[in-house]
Amino acid sequence: LSEIETTAKRASKAAGFSWGESEEIGKCVRQLEMFGLPGIKHLNSYYHDKEKNIYENLSLINESNYSSKSYCPIILGISFLDQLKIVENYKKISISGIAYPILFLSFLSRSSEIIGKKINVKIDEKEILLNLNINIYSNFLNLEFPKNSKNLEIIFIENKDNFSDDEWKSLYKLSENTFVEETDSLKKGAAGAGLTDND
């Protein structure tokens, strides 16, 4: 993984990105490969396409973002991280036309960890759940990630318990059976007890 990160960083610098941007790209490709997603394949393909195509840089992210050209997934990802405290207040973010959206996906996964919320991403008709940069769930199984997305939607999921108050109280009541009743002998012998300082 370290070699993947270093090579991706150097290749990104050679492709025209700054060293700071290249470092972010290296982290993202490493993460994609760690999750079993084709980061190297898509980065390599993107850099070859980048020589022939002009991609739009989206620097300021709004709730709705549209361009007649495809957005660069890397500049978009870095901008997203930079503006995270603002964009997390949006209910839904729509972005039309992203080249190699899997590369942007990695930046979103890191964003999920930073803000402490799950992020639901819809790439055209496929849904992906980013879980605090711990894992990525999707229904892309056995399918190729697209080279271009027509529309991508991002929704921040508010943290909620998956259990009711009654279920919690019931489980907590059961756990109380392990509590030890306090006695005089326990008070005298427990950690921190006694009047003598042995240090």
Side-chain angles (χ1 to χ4, degrees), residues 97-113:
I98 302 175
Y100 295 86
I102 190 174
L103 300 175
F104 177 53
L105 195 65
S106 178
F107 289 95
L108 289 178
S109 183
R110 289 169 60 198
S111 300
S112 173
E113 179 183 25

Side-chain angles (χ1 to χ4, degrees), residues 64-106:
S64 183
N65 307 273
Y66 173 80
S67 173
S68 55
K69 298 175 185 173
S70 292
Y71 289 114
C72 167
I74 292 163
I75 298 302
L76 175 60
I78 292 170
S79 297
F80 198 91
L81 284 173
D82 287 344
Q83 298 166 53
L84 192 51
K85 288 299 174 188
I86 296 170
V87 298
E88 73 166 306
N89 294 316
Y90 297 148
K91 288 185 177 178
K92 182 169 73 172
I93 300 170
S94 296
I95 306 171
S96 68
I98 302 175
Y100 295 86
I102 190 174
L103 300 175
F104 177 53
L105 195 65
S106 178

Side-chain angles (χ1 to χ4, degrees), residues 193 195-199:
L195 302 174
T196 308
D197 188 353
N198 296 322
D199 290 344

Side-chain angles (χ1 to χ4, degrees), residues 26-187:
K27 289 177 190 174
C28 288
V29 172
R30 173 186 177 134
Q31 181 211 47
L32 288 170
E33 291 295 332
M34 186 177 69
F35 285 154
L37 298 172
I40 290 175
K41 176 182 177 179
H42 281 251
L43 185 69
N44 192 41
S45 186
Y46 175 62
Y47 285 160
H48 283 91
D49 284 355
K50 190 171 174 284
E51 295 174 0
K52 303 172 282 186
N53 300 301
I54 297 172
Y55 295 108
E56 189 83 20
N57 289 339
L58 180 57
S59 300
L60 183 62
I61 298 169
N62 297 302
E63 286 182 274
S64 183
N65 307 273
Y66 173 80
S67 173
S68 55
K69 298 175 185 173
S70 292
Y71 289 114
C72 167
I74 292 163
I75 298 302
L76 175 60
I78 292 170
S79 297
F80 198 91
L81 284 173
D82 287 344
Q83 298 166 53
L84 192 51
K85 288 299 174 188
I86 296 170
V87 298
E88 73 166 306
N89 294 316
Y90 297 148
K91 288 185 177 178
K92 182 169 73 172
I93 300 170
S94 296
I95 306 171
S96 68
I98 302 175
Y100 295 86
I102 190 174
L103 300 175
F104 177 53
L105 195 65
S106 178
F107 289 95
L108 289 178
S109 183
R110 289 169 60 198
S111 300
S112 173
E113 179 183 25
I114 292 168
I115 62 173
K117 293 179 184 177
K118 295 177 183 175
I119 299 177
N120 190 59
V121 184
K122 192 172 181 182
I123 301 177
D124 298 329
E125 297 304 314
K126 302 298 179 186
E127 292 202 38
I128 299 163
L129 180 64
L130 308 175
N131 187 14
L132 309 180
N133 209 21
I134 296 170
N135 50 40
I136 298 175
Y137 296 109
S138 79
N139 57 355
F140 264 108
L141 294 175
N142 302 320
L143 296 174
E144 279 287 321
F145 273 85
K147 288 188 174 182
N148 286 283
S149 67
K150 293 177 184 175
N151 192 52
L152 185 142
E153 289 182 353
I154 301 163
I155 298 172
F156 298 99
I157 301 172
E158 294 301 323
N159 293 320
K160 289 191 289 188
D161 293 329
N162 293 319
F163 49 85
S164 67
D165 285 344
D166 287 343
E167 288 166 337
W168 173 251
K169 286 174 184 174
S170 174
L171 187 66
Y172 190 83
K173 186 167 182 57
L174 182 61
S175 76
E176 289 178 337
N177 292 332
T178 63
F179 294 174
V180 178
E181 286 187 32
E182 195 172 56
T183 63
D184 288 337
S185 62
L186 280 174
K187 287 179 186 177

